[in-house]
Amino acid sequence: MSRPRIVIVGAGFAGYRTARTLSRLTRHQADITLLNPTDYFLYLPLLPQVAAGILEPRRVSVSLSGTLPHVRLVLGEADGIDLDGHTVHYTGPEGEEGTLPFDRLVLAAGSVNKLLPIPGVAEHAHGFRGLPEALYLRDHVTRQVELAAAADDRAECAARCTFVVVGAGYTGTEVAAHGAMYTDAQVRKHPMRTGMRPRWMLLDVAPRVMPEMDERLSRTAERVLRQRGVDVRMGTSVKEATHDGVVLTDGSTVDTRTLVWCVGVRPDPLVEALGLPMERGRLLVDPHLQVPGRPELFACGDVAAVPDLNQPGQYTPMTAQHAWRHGKVCAQNVAASLGIGERRAYRHRDMGFVVDLGGAKAAANPLGLPMSGPAAGAVTRGYHLAAMPGNRVRVAADWLLDAVLPRQAVQLGLVRSWSVPLESSSPEVARVPGSPKRPGKATGPAGQRPDGEEAATHPGGEPAKGQPGGEPAKNEPSGGPAKGQPGGEPAKNEPGGGPAKGRPGGEPAKEQPGGEPAKNQPGGEPAKNQPGGEPAGSRSHGGRAKGGQSGSPRASGKPRRAVEAAGPRPARGGSGKPGKAPRASGAGSAGKRPAAPSGPSRSAGPPTDPGPEPPANQPPPGPDIAPGPVKRTDGRAAEGDS
């Protein structure tokens, strides 16, 4: 008889605890599969210390395969669940698709950034829910302080060293507290020319900081923030976000280049498509964490609305403490449904909360006892070491080194602004050029960060290419050529092999087999002639190339090599494969290659210089044929770099 199959979706606090407890309870009597987009469990409470340079990223990420030896790990994101067919459909990190059959399914997909209908926030703010966002914030803050220190203009310096955090909950309070210490340490060694200091602002519509905690602890946290110079404004939020700053609800305007969104979280939208009873976006379950009417389906963590038996009529809040306890009870009930052990209802006892404010400062109430100062700091860090499922020695070592050595204030530039959009259902995964897109996921609108980074993403996830002066190029609303380029030429490729600037419809320009980038033609005219008389297919507005799930130039998602577009030059070799016709860029929704015209294609503008004459041993090019490759001395044709 085959062993029962258990599939767990998500490896957050609830999913990781479920997998670990089930592995111990079943003792090889069931096949346990864990589906997660990353191969690590992220200890979220210490993420602000990663952004502040106290801890390295690997300290707060615990290996799943290393700590769950009897659990099969599948990398991917669930994008469809067939409850009647007992299968989970997922998309892997490289675009591959697969299905996982199950006899028991545990949904622990977690939560994503909570958005509010505020103009400009989705384009100019960044969340704080995953490692990529923490690494981006660390680099971004470091860069802004360095640029402000080098600026001669006081207005520019003030805008760059002003950091606005929206949301005075646990995460927002810790980000502001640690961020103020980090920037103060930077300017202490390298003062700014204008004599200004970094300014942090903490905004929230709530009447006090951390309203979930005891009022005494809220006052303690607010006092520590104000002592560090943080501008705490309660009853105030953002009314509009722009390129140059934010407009607050009290009517004031703050010039800034940094907007950190810590307003809250919402359940992962995966559960919305199940068609089951919901409670404010969360899947409704019974006290045993089982979905009514679906004995094979369990849910825990932030995606589950678990009744609070200590407060009838209420549901447990979306906190890491509850998610960790959900996982243990869920694992016991899944095992009980297989005949191992007995079921139990979820009951909890409030063990208190801890908030690390940086240095020796913290606010804590273990077992209901309010504490502050160094004693609270020791309790807070002791609690985190005890709660972490791994890396305890490394975390303690980093804390010790941070106490005796200065922090390394360097920016690595590994995570760009467009890689971590606020509107994302996968904040734990950074967007990369050509990466596949999960169906139904929010990709985030294109927008330009006020700090001059590329924020706009093409349909295939490609960043907009930089314009002179460091500003990113934008596609015109009508799909026209890149801004700022003479004569509608495509933008020059950046070092690193990125594709040329967007084609009409938002697609990146494809490198031509002759070595020259395609010219954007107004009105959908065909691009410059290809060898064999076949024009590059013009994109209709919103069109995509066939074969690429992400809409990137190649089906594999890899960008073509960069080519210069500074002016006409001799064409290089062909496609590199003799006798193979070049592929069109795909016109129309069907993605088929257009038929080759009988005559030369038209050009929208004055004719350009065709460049140097071809070698004497080559036939002159016809009206539809680019100059052929230069003949090599060994008798072979030189291959192109496409």
Side-chain angles (χ1 to χ4, degrees), residues 404-490:
V404 299
L405 296 176
R407 299 181 192 174
Q408 294 178 304
V410 295
Q411 50 165 326
L412 302 179
L414 300 179
V415 181
R416 306 298 294 176
S417 174
W418 54 268
S419 300
V420 284
L422 182 63
E423 283 187 320
S424 173
S425 295
S426 297
E428 68 276 9
V429 179
R431 180 122 359 104
V432 296
S435 62
K437 205 167 49 173
R438 167 179 159 182
K441 275 190 174 280
T443 59
Q448 179 186 358
R449 290 288 299 164
D451 56 6
E453 293 181 308
E454 303 99 341
T457 56
H458 295 288
E462 297 287 350
K465 293 301 163 190
Q467 298 294 312
E471 292 295 327
K474 299 179 183 177
N475 287 337
E476 296 294 330
S478 60
K483 266 187 182 179
Q485 301 298 327
E489 295 288 333

Side-chain angles (χ1 to χ4, degrees), residues 38-63:
T38 63
D39 63 348
Y40 59 83
F41 158 73
L42 178 63
Y43 191 76
L44 273 171
L46 293 181
L47 202 59
Q49 298 191 25
V50 175
I54 301 175
L55 297 177
E56 290 302 314
R58 285 192 175 92
R59 305 297 185 256
V60 299
S61 52
V62 180
S63 171

Side-chain angles (χ1 to χ4, degrees), residues 136-148 157-166 172 175-176 179-184 186-187 192 197-203 229-232 246 254-260 449 451:
Y136 165 76
L137 181 62
R138 177 176 173 178
D139 277 359
H140 174 79
V141 170
T142 305
R143 177 170 55 255
Q144 294 307 310
V145 173
E146 292 171 348
L147 292 175
C157 180
R160 291 195 178 277
C161 63
T162 299
F163 308 95
V164 179
V165 181
V166 185
V175 168
M181 290 187 64
Y182 180 61
T183 53
D184 285 345
Q186 280 187 269
V187 299
M192 299 183 182
R197 292 180 58 85
R199 175 193 181 194
W200 285 79
M201 296 183 64
L202 181 62
L203 313 175
V230 179
D231 185 1
V232 181
V246 293
V254 178
D255 294 334
T256 181
R257 302 293 189 270
T258 308
L259 182 59
V260 187
R449 290 288 299 164
D451 56 6

Side-chain angles (χ1 to χ4, degrees), residues 12 52 74 105 171 202 234 242 256 265 281 302 329 359 391 411 437 452 471 481 488 507 511 515 524 528 543 618 620:
V74 176
L105 176 63
T171 302
L202 181 62
M234 294 294 99
T242 64
T256 181
V265 295
D302 291 347
V329 175
N391 297 345
Q411 50 165 326
K437 205 167 49 173
E471 292 295 327
E507 294 289 330
E511 185 177 306
K528 193 173 182 179
Q618 295 292 327

Side-chain angles (χ1 to χ4, degrees), residues 334-600:
V334 170
S337 70
L338 301 176
I340 304 173
E342 297 180 356
R343 293 206 314 167
R344 55 172 293 194
Y346 177 73
R347 290 182 179 273
H348 71 93
R349 179 189 175 192
D350 189 2
M351 303 296 292
F353 296 94
V354 294
V355 178
D356 190 347
L357 300 176
K361 300 299 180 70
N365 61 342
L367 301 177
L369 178 63
M371 301 178 65
S372 60
V379 170
T380 298
R381 296 201 169 184
Y383 169 79
H384 287 316
L385 286 180
M388 288 193 68
N391 297 345
R392 296 187 181 96
V393 175
R394 288 185 170 91
V395 170
D398 275 4
W399 283 341
L400 178 61
L401 292 175
D402 180 70
V404 299
L405 296 176
R407 299 181 192 174
Q408 294 178 304
V410 295
Q411 50 165 326
L412 302 179
L414 300 179
V415 181
R416 306 298 294 176
S417 174
W418 54 268
S419 300
V420 284
L422 182 63
E423 283 187 320
S424 173
S425 295
S426 297
E428 68 276 9
V429 179
R431 180 122 359 104
V432 296
S435 62
K437 205 167 49 173
R438 167 179 159 182
K441 275 190 174 280
T443 59
Q448 179 186 358
R449 290 288 299 164
D451 56 6
E453 293 181 308
E454 303 99 341
T457 56
H458 295 288
E462 297 287 350
K465 293 301 163 190
Q467 298 294 312
E471 292 295 327
K474 299 179 183 177
N475 287 337
E476 296 294 330
S478 60
K483 266 187 182 179
Q485 301 298 327
E489 295 288 333
K492 295 182 180 181
N493 295 322
E494 294 292 317
K501 186 58 189 154
R503 304 275 300 169
E507 294 289 330
K510 294 179 182 279
E511 185 177 306
Q512 305 299 324
E516 295 186 4
K519 301 275 198 298
N520 291 318
Q521 304 294 336
E525 291 294 331
K528 193 173 182 179
N529 300 331
Q530 305 298 312
E534 190 168 346
S538 301
R539 297 282 186 187
S540 60
H541 298 299
R544 288 180 179 268
K546 183 179 179 182
Q549 189 177 9
S550 60
S552 59
R554 291 185 178 180
S556 60
K558 297 180 180 179
R560 295 183 180 270
R561 295 182 56 184
V563 293
E564 291 293 339
R569 61 175 184 171
R572 292 192 181 97
S575 63
K577 295 184 179 181
K580 185 173 181 180
R583 302 179 69 179
S585 55
S589 59
K592 296 182 179 179
R593 292 168 52 183
S598 57

